[in-house]
Amino acid sequence: MRASATPRAFFLAALAAAALSGAGCRGCDAAPRELPAGAASVATPVPAPDEPRPQELIQIADELPWCDVEHRGLLFDASPRGLPGKVAWGGPSVDGAAQPFEDQPRSTFAQAPPSAGVQAVEHAGSTWARVSERQIKTTFVLPETSQVFVSMRVIGLAAKVATVSLDDFVLGTVRLTRDQIRIASTNATAMPLDKGLHTLTIRFGGRSVDGQPFADVDWIRVGTPDESPASYGAPTRRDLLASGAALGGVPHRSISLRAPGAVRCAVRPSRSSRFKAAVGMLGPGEGDAEIRVIQDGKEPVTLHALHVTGTDKAAWTDVEVPLDPFAGQVISLELRAAQSTRGGRILFGDAAVIGPPDPPPTVPRARAVVVVALNGVERPDLPPWSGRADPRLPTLSELTATGVTFDRHRAPSTATAAVIASLLTGLPPQAHTLMDPGARLPERMTTLNAVARDSTVRTGMFTGVPMSFRAFGFASAWGKFVEHPPASGDAATVPLDQAAAWITEVGKEGSEVRLLAFIHARGGHPPWEVSPKEISALKPVDYAGPIEPRRAGQVLARIRASKRRNKVLSQDDRDRIRDLGAIALGAQDRALGGIITALKQVGLWDETLFVVTGDVSSGRSDETLFGDAVELSEPPLTLPLYVHFPGELFAGKRVMAPTEVVDIPHTALDALGLGFAPGRRVYGRDLASVASGLEGVGREPQVAVLGERYSTRWGDLVLYGRFGAAPFLCDLGLDPTCAFNRRDLMPHAAMTLFRKTVAFDAAAHASAPPREPATIDPDTSAQLSVWGAP
């Protein structure tokens, strides 16, 4: 079921709402359910006090804003601490602006604030949503086929009635009472609603005078009819958390559940991940608790089940279960209160996903850090991914033997300036604000080179790519900054050659000197400098097409902009582009070798962190070929990454673990013994740790953005789309070309990736400065034109 787009102003407000998936209650005194055949029911003892403590990787209580909660139906909590990321596929900010809440949960991700359309108000000690938008629309996952009804706790203001629709079916109209709290409910559906994705729409009726809000809403429930005589208690975040629950005099920060109920949080475990919790019963009687794994298209798997007793016999039972059978998979880890005596609650204390106790290795200390970003390269054309020996690329071939190659390296955007900004700031585009080709790096951003310069490290940047020129804000805080215009007619290797000369000069200053060099090289991008002899050797000999070395960038820009582009490039044109790009890349490879030679000559190579990567993949289709800010598909986002660690650590190793651009500045600062300011959110990981194979829980998804568009990858799953419209879900393991949308077949996965996207976006935007436009003077405009930039 596809959800239609809603006004952008409402999306942020709706972050305060969240779907709580549930099953019907058949009475709290029902007999406990039997475990599924083959279910695991073994707990591992907690390590003794003198044993090394494991790493706590995910504290489940911290993740509640992004989890599903189940209790007698689905709940949409309208408070600012509601569960975000489930509202009509909407984004977390308005015009890219967001501010953090004063009282943040201790989650990995920050929450987003309310928008002008929904404001937080207080009623009787609770936080409600004051709705000024005419319509509330949310997307949710119904876990099982069942009849449903909709109810909400609401105060009518300008609205006298509200029309409730599920998908395209009007379920009913409820009356609201002005300035009075009431629970307004519809009748149940006549037929069961299919499990999977659905859209709930509430449209307020009434006339708003002078901007008067329509209603104040506490919560909205998609309930399932049941026979329970108990009054419904909405399981809001405040109700679920018992921060100091103590059994037998031992306190634990706990998730407190009424039966039947559950909390489900998405994780992607590794081979070494385990789940641990202290489980007990608060209140009279006894109950049954379960720990389960939920996946799309599969029956739930019970990892552990136990019986707990309350009152004066209450005590904690420590549980620890392995998650290695689900390594590399996106799963929902469910904590379930299967049944309990009325009035009792099942407690899951300090529930967490844990990893091995061994700390990850750090990057060996380096005296020199050199980072090279090649533009216009395709990973399948480079060793080792090409699968063949290439005598034109001896330097990169040698790096595969002396360094580490990372097979799943991903860009945060397809805008070249955005990728370079992430390389220098260690931040995603949402945080440094270069989310489109027309932005510049704000002056206030702290960069890798500024940190190095303030620590007496010599710094130099050398660029031959216009998108990293002074006009885009990249000249600040360098000891030496050189930009080489592509229209100069000089060799494309000049930035690399100048960097080698500078390294030689600095390296001769003494054994205590440290340096940081950043080179943004042209790679295989036109314009190309090739000799007449090289041109005459190309086939076909009588080529008379539009592709020629100096103006190829402009020709390709016109082709990309043309509606007839698929009919413009012939096979001869594509062969000519490939051959000219290969010649150019061969020259770049030789210049790379010159930098390594310079480092060896001044005695720095064994103490150098040497990184070669790309910025934006050149693309193999006419739509993306040497383009900037192209579609957020996997081929343009997939980059090469070579890392030579000091002392040739892990030499010759290929790493399959996912990595990102923000890992590179993190690793560079570690190698220099430096770091960004304390208190700043850390993005990225030490690449030496990744290469070592030590891993905890699978890292968070890789999020790429371009304006309002996003592409989020977690394992083999990729969710991409535009905020405000239903996204496309692809499983690369089954469908490498992403030809089939699996959103409706994998609803839990789709919602999980979308919530992660919204969470990441909200957190990154929270500390972002205002966007600054690039200062494009006539000379820069001319260089961009020669380059073929849009």
Side-chain angles (χ1 to χ4, degrees), residues 59-104:
Q59 176 62 247
I60 301 298
D62 289 346
E63 299 298 307
L64 277 180
W66 318 105
C67 299
D68 283 332
V69 182
E70 173 187 314
H71 180 63
R72 299 175 63 185
L74 299 102
L75 186 81
F76 301 86
D77 182 358
S79 74
R81 289 185 177 84
L83 308 183
K86 303 174 186 177
V87 177
W89 309 113
S93 62
V94 177
D95 297 329
Q99 300 296 327
F101 287 124
E102 292 181 3
D103 182 18
Q104 294 278 7

Side-chain angles (χ1 to χ4, degrees), residues 277-346:
V279 185
M281 176 83 175
L282 183 66
E286 55 190 32
D288 292 302
E290 297 177 0
I291 300 162
R292 306 198 306 174
V293 167
I294 309 297
Q295 290 180 285
D296 286 308
K298 298 180 181 179
E299 290 297 316
V301 175
T302 300
L303 302 180
H304 189 68
L306 70 160
H307 188 75
V308 290
T309 304
T311 320
D312 57 343
K313 297 181 180 180
W316 296 107
T317 299
D318 292 327
V319 174
E320 187 173 320
V321 292
L323 299 176
D324 57 286
F326 310 99
Q329 303 174 49
V330 177
I331 64 172
S332 289
L333 187 64
E334 180 183 82
L335 313 181
R336 172 167 287 274
Q339 71 90 28
S340 71
T341 306
R342 186 176 299 169
R345 292 194 176 221
I346 306 294

Side-chain angles (χ1 to χ4, degrees), residues 122 126 169 268 297 378 510 526 574 585 602 613 621:
E122 295 294 321
S126 297
F169 172 74
R268 184 171 175 264
E378 273 290 319
R574 296 186 182 95
L585 190 57
V602 295
T613 187
S621 69

Side-chain angles (χ1 to χ4, degrees), residues 504 590 592-603 605:
T504 299
R590 291 191 294 273
L592 270 177
I595 293 178
I596 294 175
T597 298
L599 288 163
K600 291 179 177 179
Q601 288 176 344
V602 295
W605 178 242

Side-chain angles (χ1 to χ4, degrees), residues 120-298:
V121 295
E122 295 294 321
H123 291 293
S126 297
T127 305
W128 295 40
R130 175 156 289 174
V131 182
S132 299
E133 296 287 338
R134 175 71 69 177
Q135 180 174 276
I136 296 175
K137 185 185 290 281
T138 186
T139 303
F140 62 90
V141 179
L142 191 67
E144 297 294 340
T145 299
S146 66
Q147 291 179 285
V148 299
F149 63 90
V150 175
S151 64
M152 58 181 171
R153 191 167 188 242
V154 60
I155 299 173
L157 299 175
K160 297 180 180 180
V161 296
T163 301
V164 180
S165 301
L166 282 172
D167 303 321
D168 297 323
F169 172 74
V170 175
L171 186 59
T173 299
V174 297
R175 289 194 171 276
L176 310 182
T177 304
R178 185 175 179 85
D179 296 328
Q180 291 185 18
I181 297 175
R182 67 165 301 195
I183 297 177
S185 299
T186 70
N187 293 324
T189 55
M191 299 294 292
L193 195 67
D194 291 337
K195 66 179 180 180
L197 284 170
H198 296 278
T199 300
L200 168 66
T201 303
I202 297 177
R203 183 173 180 82
F204 295 105
R207 182 180 179 186
S208 176
V209 180
D210 297 328
Q212 181 185 15
F214 289 101
D216 289 350
V217 182
D218 185 10
W219 47 258
I220 303 167
R221 176 189 176 198
V222 179
T224 53
D226 58 44
E227 300 172 358
S228 173
S231 298
Y232 179 73
T236 61
R237 183 174 181 271
R238 182 179 180 180
D239 181 69
L240 289 168
L241 279 178
S243 298
L247 299 179
V250 179
H252 281 293
R253 183 170 178 242
S254 301
I255 294 171
S256 172
L257 296 175
R258 285 171 288 182
V263 166
R264 288 190 293 271
C265 300
V267 298
R268 184 171 175 264
S270 71
R271 294 183 301 273
S272 58
S273 298
R274 305 178 72 80
F275 170 78
K276 74 171 183 67
V279 185
M281 176 83 175
L282 183 66
E286 55 190 32
D288 292 302
E290 297 177 0
I291 300 162
R292 306 198 306 174
V293 167
I294 309 297
Q295 290 180 285
D296 286 308
K298 298 180 181 179

Side-chain angles (χ1 to χ4, degrees), residues 680-743:
R680 185 183 111 149
R681 182 180 173 189
V682 176
Y683 293 88
R685 295 190 296 178
D686 182 330
L687 288 169
S689 172
V690 180
S692 73
L694 290 179
E695 54 180 343
V697 70
R699 69 181 301 162
E700 293 297 330
Q702 299 167 297
V703 180
V705 293
L706 185 67
E708 292 275 305
R709 288 176 285 166
Y710 61 87
S711 174
T712 301
R713 180 170 180 174
W714 213 12
D716 284 335
L717 298 179
V718 180
L719 188 79
Y720 62 91
R722 182 188 298 272
F723 285 124
F728 191 103
L729 179 67
C730 171
D731 186 341
L732 295 173
L734 300 174
D735 180 16
T737 62
C738 287
F740 185 71
N741 189 355
R742 298 180 185 273
R743 184 187 65 241

